[in-house]
Amino acid sequence: MNKQQEKQARLARRHRRVRGKISGTAARPRLCVTRSNSNMYVQVIDDVAHTTICGVSTLGEAFKATGKSGATVEGAAELGTIVGKLAQENGVTEVVFDRGGHLYHGRVKALAEAAREAGLKF
């Protein structure tokens, strides 16, 4: 196993551990964060009904209008603000945060704090 495969295996292990402890419901859906080196993707998911309530990414129209990069902490914070407003428009005020196996640091932390400031309760 090479270094890249080991890194992916560690991420998958952390993700399974996190997902084993949390689940989204209609009352408190799951705010799922997926991160790559250049982009971020965020979805608000109801795991009971198996539906995605809303989702946003750094590749979408709403984010591109801001002119920020998805690979930066500032871009992640802007994405958190967008998803917070979009979730509230869809009637979601409380969520369970799913960091997707990533450490709560940097872009993931910036996104979470911006979503909190936009009105979501974790």
Side-chain angles (χ1 to χ4, degrees), residues 1 14 22 41 59 114:
M1 190 183 285
R14 282 192 309 267
I22 63 171
Y41 311 87
L59 300 173

Side-chain angles (χ1 to χ4, degrees), residues 34-115:
T34 306
R35 174 180 80 74
S36 71
N37 284 340
S38 54
N39 292 299
M40 289 188 80
Y41 311 87
V42 184
Q43 293 179 321
V44 178
I45 302 170
D46 179 359
D47 289 319
V48 175
H50 303 289
T51 57
T52 301
I53 298 167
C54 63
V56 112
S57 79
T58 55
L59 300 173
E61 300 283 328
F63 181 78
K64 286 192 176 185
T66 65
K68 297 190 180 197
S69 170
T72 63
V73 173
E74 293 81 18
E78 186 64 34
L79 190 65
T81 303
I82 293 169
V83 77
K85 290 177 183 174
L86 188 61
Q88 287 190 335
E89 289 173 7
N90 287 300
V92 175
T93 56
E94 291 189 16
V95 294
V96 177
F97 188 66
D98 176 10
R99 58 189 171 87
H102 299 287
L103 299 177
Y104 188 78
H105 179 73
R107 290 188 284 161
V108 175
K109 183 178 179 181
L111 184 138
E113 289 176 353

